Amino acid sequence: MMAKKLGGQFPDDHHLIENYHVLCNYGVPRSKIGKMYKEGSEMFRYNHDVLNSKLQSYERLGLSKPTIIKLVTCCPALLIGELNRDFLEVLTKLKALGVELDLVRGCLSDKSVYHWDRILKMLNFLDGMGCNQKNLETLINQHPRFVFDDSGKKIYILVALLLKLGIKMDDILLLFVQYPQILAGNFVKNLWQSIYFLFDIGMNVEDIKMIVKTHPHVLGASSSKSPYFVLQRSKLSEHQLCDIIKEDPNQFTYLITSKKSSAINLPKVEGTFLREKTDFLLRLGFVENSDEMARVLKKFRGRGDQLQKRFDFLVEIGFDCHTAAEMIKAVPPVLNQSIDVLDKKSTYLLNDLGYPLEALAAFPTFLCYNLDKIKLRFSMFQWLKENGVSFSTKNRKLASPTVALSTVLACSDARFFKYFVNLHHRGPEEWERLKRSFSSK
């Protein structure tokens, strides 16, 4: 009777029906059991209480029931035979990194196949490359999906490619944290193609490395055409094409795809972009051919007109030209961000946190921090304030409007945790909750 209700997928068997009920009573959706039977029919022949015992053994590993349900529906083989040694070692490594095991649940799909031996090799590979454990922990906690997608194969290829370029392992991990999208979809394949495209048009390794570190999302956004096709269509020489991409990497997407776009801004004369940026800096009060101008020029990305628009945005939100210019002189990378990003960060600071413009003028580096990190740190401060915590040495409340932005942001995660999160006995628990909350977004 039970087999008929399930659409005839199962033979009429006493053990099968008993084990079917074990799974149902544990909470496994009935709609998933047919797939589990197809991939692991052995479990349906277990004697009394064997299957339930196996489920309980995963609970003893520290996994919650919802996570176990997701695991066994996606990986029925975990319920066959002895506990999978590779899976156990993966859990051990994640625990050692301080990763909450229930993060696994949101990373699994019953449409994928998981090879725990490959995932383990990938984690061992990262460990063997001398990764900074704190960076690796941050990456996995904030973006755990990359560990399981394609059983870790993509990250092997991507890390090998970036190491070949001469990018250090810690910088690679930071790159993943800043641009998590580079670990998904066809990004790895597209990035590979784009890097070889840049080699083919004669760009030197150092310039390629710089573009990869600052614009990986651009290089991996789409597959590239052959250099011959792009050069023919754009009527440019390899040297000119290199200059355009180095001056404004955002042009790369338009140049290497087959779609014609008015967004492509081709220079009429060699060195136009450099001249535009120089003119922009002269308007800010820099002295031409000075060491200071040379230093700042190297730190700016984008055309002169883009930099001007970003500078104008600072004036529009309330800074006078002199103050805005001083902020840029102190922290040139402020203008390497789009107006949309600058708008979101300044709006959060001025409207949501209630800080005055003067606070931003005193610490323009605020605009260079990742917005999620900003929100995470200030959310923690707000929680501490609401729970009555105050500085032990200065006897004033945390997160008051007078707390300097640098106090909140200009310290490592380890120091922030030690000197602020730990000020309340429930602080570490709230910190982990907030990190999960921002990670899920």
Side-chain angles (χ1 to χ4, degrees):
M1 176 70 101
M2 185 63 66
K4 289 180 181 177
K5 288 182 179 179
L6 291 169
Q9 294 184 62
F10 303 140
D12 190 13
D13 180 271
H14 171 70
H15 289 311
L16 183 149
I17 300 301
E18 182 178 354
N19 288 311
Y20 168 84
H21 283 300
V22 169
L23 293 173
C24 287
N25 292 336
Y26 195 77
V28 176
R30 297 187 181 194
S31 59
K32 304 292 185 182
I33 296 180
K35 176 182 180 293
M36 293 177 68
Y37 179 80
K38 289 179 181 178
E39 296 181 15
S41 59
E42 293 173 47
M43 76 180 77
F44 292 88
R45 294 196 289 271
Y46 286 148
N47 290 325
H48 177 70
D49 211 34
V50 172
L51 184 56
N52 188 59
S53 176
K54 288 182 178 293
L55 291 166
Q56 296 299 322
S57 68
Y58 284 105
E59 288 189 23
R60 288 193 290 274
L61 293 175
L63 297 170
S64 68
K65 185 174 284 190
T67 297
I68 295 170
I69 291 170
K70 188 67 177 288
L71 268 171
V72 299
T73 55
C74 295
C75 317
L78 291 176
L79 290 175
I80 298 172
E82 299 298 322
L83 282 175
N84 185 296
R85 186 175 297 277
D86 292 325
F87 174 75
L88 290 177
E89 289 197 40
V90 168
L91 288 189
T92 301
K93 281 198 167 291
L94 294 179
K95 283 181 181 178
L97 286 168
V99 176
E100 187 174 333
L101 297 183
D102 284 335
L103 282 177
V104 173
R105 184 167 73 249
C107 303
L108 300 176
S109 167
D110 57 10
K111 293 180 174 60
S112 300
V113 176
Y114 297 93
H115 301 280
W116 299 104
D117 57 334
R118 293 184 192 171
I119 294 173
L120 179 61
K121 286 178 182 177
M122 182 270 295
L123 291 173
N124 286 335
F125 168 70
L126 292 177
D127 200 32
M129 292 307 300
C131 291
N132 178 296
Q133 295 296 296
K134 189 66 180 177
N135 288 341
L136 187 56
E137 176 189 346
T138 299
L139 174 62
I140 297 177
N141 270 312
Q142 294 184 4
H143 311 290
R145 191 174 296 277
F146 89 90
V147 175
F148 305 94
D149 281 356
D150 205 17
S151 297
K153 181 180 177 181
K154 285 180 181 177
I155 202 166
Y156 264 122
I157 299 171
L158 185 53
V159 169
L161 177 61
L162 297 177
L163 287 173
K164 187 177 179 180
L165 273 176
I167 300 176
K168 295 179 180 178
M169 196 64 207
D170 282 349
D171 290 334
I172 292 174
L173 287 180
L174 289 174
L175 203 62
F176 293 163
V177 172
Q178 293 170 341
Y179 303 98
Q181 67 269 38
I182 70 181
L183 296 167
N186 292 322
F187 179 88
V188 176
K189 178 182 176 182
N190 293 341
L191 179 64
W192 184 282
Q193 289 180 350
S194 297
I195 289 174
Y196 276 96
F197 178 97
L198 297 178
F199 272 120
D200 286 343
I201 62 173
M203 189 176 291
N204 67 53
V205 175
E206 286 304 311
D207 286 329
I208 294 174
K209 184 163 66 173
M210 181 58 66
I211 293 174
V212 170
K213 290 172 73 172
T214 58
H215 289 73
H217 52 301
V218 173
L219 297 182
S222 56
S223 59
S224 58
K225 297 294 180 182
S226 71
Y228 175 80
F229 175 88
V230 174
L231 293 169
Q232 287 291 312
R233 183 170 67 87
S234 63
K235 309 298 183 188
L236 293 169
S237 67
E238 290 182 347
H239 182 69
Q240 288 174 314
L241 191 56
C242 278
D243 281 347
I244 293 170
I245 296 170
K246 283 191 293 186
E247 288 294 334
D248 183 10
N250 290 305
Q251 292 290 324
F252 183 80
T253 301
Y254 304 111
L255 287 163
I256 54 87
T257 58
S258 59
K259 298 176 182 178
K260 293 184 178 180
S261 172
S262 58
I264 302 178
N265 297 293
L266 305 179
K268 295 179 180 178
V269 219
E270 194 172 327
T272 297
F273 287 149
L274 179 60
R275 185 68 251 173
E276 287 179 352
K277 287 201 288 189
T278 301
D279 289 343
F280 168 71
L281 291 177
L282 289 173
R283 288 194 294 273
L284 292 189
F286 285 85
V287 178
E288 190 161 16
N289 298 322
S290 65
D291 291 340
E292 186 181 26
M293 176 175 277
R295 176 183 64 82
V296 174
L297 273 173
K298 291 178 181 179
K299 295 185 178 182
F300 277 146
R301 298 194 302 269
R303 304 185 310 272
D305 61 329
Q306 292 175 325
L307 298 174
Q308 184 65 56
K309 288 177 182 177
R310 295 165 192 170
F311 178 84
D312 290 344
F313 171 80
L314 296 178
V315 175
E316 287 170 10
I317 65 173
F319 291 109
D320 60 65
C321 289
H322 174 73
T323 302
E326 290 302 311
M327 291 168 63
I328 300 312
K329 287 180 181 180
V331 189
V334 165
L335 292 191
N336 288 341
Q337 301 170 85
S338 68
I339 290 177
D340 180 57
V341 170
L342 292 172
D343 184 38
K344 288 178 180 177
K345 292 178 182 179
S346 59
T347 297
Y348 180 72
L349 178 69
L350 303 174
N351 296 346
D352 296 354
L353 296 179
Y355 275 79
L357 279 172
E358 289 75 14
L360 187 55
F363 189 62
T365 307
F366 173 90
L367 293 171
C368 298
Y369 285 96
N370 177 278
L371 185 56
D372 283 342
K373 177 175 181 175
I374 294 171
K375 289 183 176 181
L376 175 62
R377 292 277 181 99
F378 277 98
S379 294
M380 188 67 223
F381 261 77
Q382 182 60 32
W383 184 89
L384 290 168
K385 175 185 175 182
E386 291 171 354
N387 283 270
V389 178
S390 53
F391 284 119
S392 58
T393 56
K394 296 185 179 179
N395 194 30
R396 60 178 179 178
K397 290 184 178 180
L398 290 172
S400 69
T402 57
V403 172
L405 297 176
S406 58
T407 299
V408 185
L409 295 170
C411 62
S412 67
D413 286 342
R415 287 183 64 84
F416 183 81
F417 187 90
K418 179 178 179 180
Y419 292 106
F420 302 116
V421 176
N422 272 339
L423 288 177
H424 193 285
H425 69 281
R426 287 192 290 111
E429 178 185 347
E430 178 64 15
W431 178 244
E432 292 302 319
R433 187 194 70 77
L434 287 170
K435 286 201 296 184
R436 289 196 299 274
S437 172
F438 284 105
S439 174
S440 65
K441 293 177 184 178

